[in-house]
Amino acid sequence: MMKWGIGGGSSGTPADSYYEVRSDCTDDVPKSKFKIKAGKTLSVRKWQAAFSADGCLDIASVLSRIQKGGVHPTVRGEVWEFLLGCFDPRSTFDEREEIRQIRRLQYARWKEDCREMDSHVGSGKVITAPLITEDGRPIKDPLVLLEATSQNTSDSTSTSSKNAIEVDDSATRITDKHIIDWKLTLHQIGLDVLRTDRTMVFYENKENLSKLWDILAVYAWIDKDVGYCQGMSDLCSPMIVLLNDEADAFWCFEKLMRRLRGNFKCTDQSVGVANQLQYLASIIQVLDPKLHDHLETLGGGDYLFAFRMFMVLFRREVSFGDSLYLWEMMWALEYDPDIFFAACEEASSHKSKISKSKLRGVRHFTKRDKDKDNTKNGAEDTEGPVPISVFMVASVLKEKREKLLQEARGLDDLIRILNDVNGNLDAKKACAGALKLHKKYLKKVQAKKPQTVLFNLTG
């Protein structure tokens, strides 16, 4: 179990001190609870020292440091590129630069493709009203095109809403369904962009707003199965803040979406986070059957009240800086190098020195979790381990257990009690609580299994 370093030493620097809030919004944003502490947080010096002369990264030491105290904001963007799998830790400086340039060119090509379909991509404007009808006819009203300036955003929005939509009959009707679907999402992306992290000084710069809109527009085009859904802007925003280059921010977001895109694939029959909700139900049923039965009695046995926490990874429950700490902590705990080893089986013995056995010591959430009994509440086996985010939500329920049991008499009470968490969740304690619940859950589940299965877990 990792040490959290609570108490002793310097009180540390608040995580949000690096992410300036607008003066008129200071009373409206959650306060940071996580502190950046010397000797515990991954510092610039420790990060640079983790590289060999040619650029290979000692990822095991980095993960260990992150698990103790997160990442210093000044190197967070660089570190996230490794945590999200943008780069192989065994690659050299030169190899990574070559990959980076290839990816930047690829993003530029995709963005140009999008610009050819709609000239507002890359124009510095954010679209907040429909550009096209559902049957492919372009809309003529120029007032729907809003330049993303902090001064005219609200005024322009109210002005455009008063004007009736006028179809441009002289323009060529679009017949490609993919293009129509994509163009129909552009104004929704714009509306969400203007609402995302709006309390931050960073987004008073219209260029940053347009970066966010452009990245989401390009992603919606290349991922046609998912497109764009509400919540993606909350996941993408930190990438824009941390990485100066738009293409680099896009690729970090794309890597994150590879993990989370299933959350956004909803149908009339199920929500994208169904597996995680089922896992959560199973975990609570095993660890706290009394609470689980009470939630079922209230009509919350489907655990849909946790939907938002999974969709945007606790962005509403903690401050901006604390959410970044929470994310990197989860990624460090779940970090899986297998994708790199599988792709590089022919790697030289020199690069193979970053062994799996060394990494196992700092990986708390491995594929061994996949084999545990997650079918108790009807959940089917999935393609990977139970995410730590499930145990995070379980720790929130544990913290509110007594209040839920004593005060909740219906779904409205349940939602009200859990809404009290918004802006008040302690990210560090939530991580610690999640790890304790994970350990306790594994013990309970494994105790019920035949001994032969337990041996297979480590094989």
Side-chain angles (χ1 to χ4, degrees):
M1 191 75 172
M2 67 185 182
K3 298 179 181 178
W4 292 90
I6 299 176
S10 171
S11 60
T13 305
D16 282 334
S17 62
Y18 287 82
Y19 310 108
E20 188 179 357
V21 174
R22 287 165 39 193
S23 58
D24 59 327
C25 299
T26 53
D27 295 333
D28 303 326
V29 297
K31 304 302 179 187
S32 175
K33 294 178 174 61
F34 173 67
K35 305 290 186 182
I36 301 164
K37 293 188 176 182
K40 298 191 180 298
T41 300
L42 177 65
S43 64
V44 177
R45 183 178 64 83
K46 286 287 186 182
W47 171 244
Q48 294 174 345
F51 289 94
S52 66
D54 61 353
C56 294
L57 177 65
D58 179 3
I59 190 67
S61 68
V62 168
L63 296 177
S64 179
R65 175 66 68 167
I66 294 171
Q67 291 171 16
K68 290 176 182 176
V71 181
H72 196 279
T74 54
V75 292
R76 184 166 263 150
E78 301 172 41
V79 177
W80 279 25
E81 288 183 303
F82 285 90
L83 290 179
L84 289 169
C86 292
F87 297 120
D88 185 337
R90 298 165 301 171
S91 61
T92 65
F93 292 126
D94 291 341
E95 288 168 344
R96 289 195 293 277
E97 183 58 26
E98 182 179 358
I99 292 171
R100 188 183 299 280
Q101 295 306 321
I102 291 172
R103 285 177 177 158
R104 287 178 177 177
L105 287 173
Q106 178 62 73
Y107 176 71
R109 284 194 290 268
W110 281 334
K111 188 173 179 179
E112 179 60 23
D113 290 342
C114 291
R115 192 194 65 78
E116 289 178 359
M117 291 183 289
D118 192 287
S119 62
H120 306 104
V121 175
S123 70
K125 295 183 178 182
V126 173
I127 309 307
T128 59
L131 295 172
I132 194 172
T133 63
E134 292 187 358
D135 60 355
R137 292 181 295 169
I139 292 172
K140 190 174 184 180
D141 190 351
L143 291 177
V144 303
L145 309 178
L146 308 180
E147 189 165 358
T149 61
S150 57
Q151 290 79 16
N152 68 11
T153 294
S154 58
D155 293 340
S156 298
T157 302
S158 60
T159 300
S160 66
S161 64
K162 296 175 184 177
N163 288 270
I165 292 176
E166 182 182 354
V167 173
D168 187 353
D169 293 323
S170 63
T172 303
R173 181 176 174 179
I174 297 171
T175 57
D176 188 307
K177 185 179 183 301
H178 289 310
I179 297 178
I180 293 173
D181 289 345
W182 175 71
K183 289 175 79 76
L184 285 171
T185 68
L186 295 181
H187 75 282
Q188 184 59 59
I189 294 174
L191 290 170
D192 290 347
V193 162
L194 296 183
R195 290 191 289 253
T196 302
D197 294 323
R198 62 188 181 277
T199 61
M200 295 179 63
V201 171
F202 179 83
Y203 281 115
E204 289 186 328
N205 184 338
K206 66 176 183 178
E207 291 182 5
N208 294 328
L209 282 171
S210 61
K211 272 186 185 180
L212 182 56
W213 187 80
D214 285 342
I215 286 177
L216 293 169
V218 172
Y219 183 82
W221 173 248
I222 67 165
D223 189 349
K224 294 178 176 60
D225 288 340
V226 174
Y228 174 79
C229 300
Q230 283 188 303
M232 288 185 183
S233 60
D234 293 290
L235 300 175
C236 186
S237 174
M239 311 306 174
I240 307 289
V241 174
L242 298 181
L243 294 157
N244 291 327
D245 188 275
E246 182 180 321
D248 296 345
F250 168 85
W251 285 107
C252 266
F253 174 65
E254 191 271 344
K255 293 293 185 183
L256 177 60
M257 285 303 300
R258 289 193 185 196
R259 302 176 181 219
L260 302 177
R261 66 191 297 273
N263 290 356
F264 297 92
K265 299 182 77 170
C266 299
T267 67
D268 293 336
Q269 290 75 36
S270 65
V271 295
V273 296
N275 279 330
Q276 293 166 70
L277 297 175
Q278 290 172 336
Y279 278 137
L280 179 61
S282 176
I283 290 166
I284 299 301
Q285 189 172 17
V286 169
L287 295 180
D288 196 338
K290 182 178 179 180
L291 176 59
H292 176 77
D293 291 344
H294 183 59
L295 294 175
E296 281 202 323
T297 301
L298 299 177
D302 53 12
Y303 287 76
L304 280 171
F305 55 81
F307 179 85
R308 190 185 65 191
M309 294 186 197
F310 289 125
M311 288 293 286
V312 296
L313 293 182
F314 305 93
R315 283 297 314 273
R316 301 291 186 275
E317 285 68 34
V318 296
S319 69
F320 181 82
D322 284 10
S323 68
L324 306 191
Y325 163 79
L326 194 62
W327 288 9
E328 64 203 15
M329 182 65 66
M330 290 192 291
W331 299 336
L333 291 168
E334 294 176 329
Y335 186 82
D336 186 355
D338 288 350
I339 186 173
F340 299 125
F341 284 98
C344 304
E345 288 181 350
E346 303 298 322
S348 67
S349 58
H350 170 70
K351 290 189 177 181
S352 296
K353 287 181 181 179
I354 304 177
S355 67
K356 286 187 181 183
S357 60
K358 185 176 181 182
L359 283 164
R360 284 196 184 107
V362 294
R363 287 168 60 197
H364 291 263
F365 288 74
T366 69
K367 288 188 177 180
R368 289 174 289 177
D369 288 357
K370 179 180 177 180
D371 298 312
K372 61 181 185 286
D373 183 12
N374 52 47
T375 60
K376 186 175 181 66
N377 215 41
E380 297 180 359
D381 191 21
T382 60
E383 296 181 355
V386 179
I388 187 176
S389 56
V390 177
F391 290 94
M392 293 276 190
V393 177
S395 72
V396 171
L397 294 177
K398 182 177 183 296
E399 182 181 345
K400 295 292 183 180
R401 179 183 189 274
E402 296 307 317
K403 201 165 187 178
L404 288 168
L405 291 174
Q406 294 173 14
E407 300 181 19
R409 296 293 177 264
L411 273 177
D412 289 344
D413 292 333
L414 169 61
I415 293 171
R416 172 182 57 80
I417 292 170
L418 292 178
N419 278 343
D420 290 342
V421 177
N422 292 355
N424 296 311
L425 183 66
D426 188 316
K428 199 169 197 178
K429 288 182 180 178
C431 285
L435 287 173
K436 287 178 182 177
L437 291 179
H438 174 257
K439 185 176 181 180
K440 184 177 179 181
Y441 180 63
L442 282 184
K443 280 185 177 180
K444 281 183 174 288
V445 170
Q446 290 174 355
K448 298 178 182 179
K449 289 186 177 182
Q451 190 65 27
T452 52
V453 176
L454 293 180
F455 286 123
N456 289 337
L457 291 176
T458 58

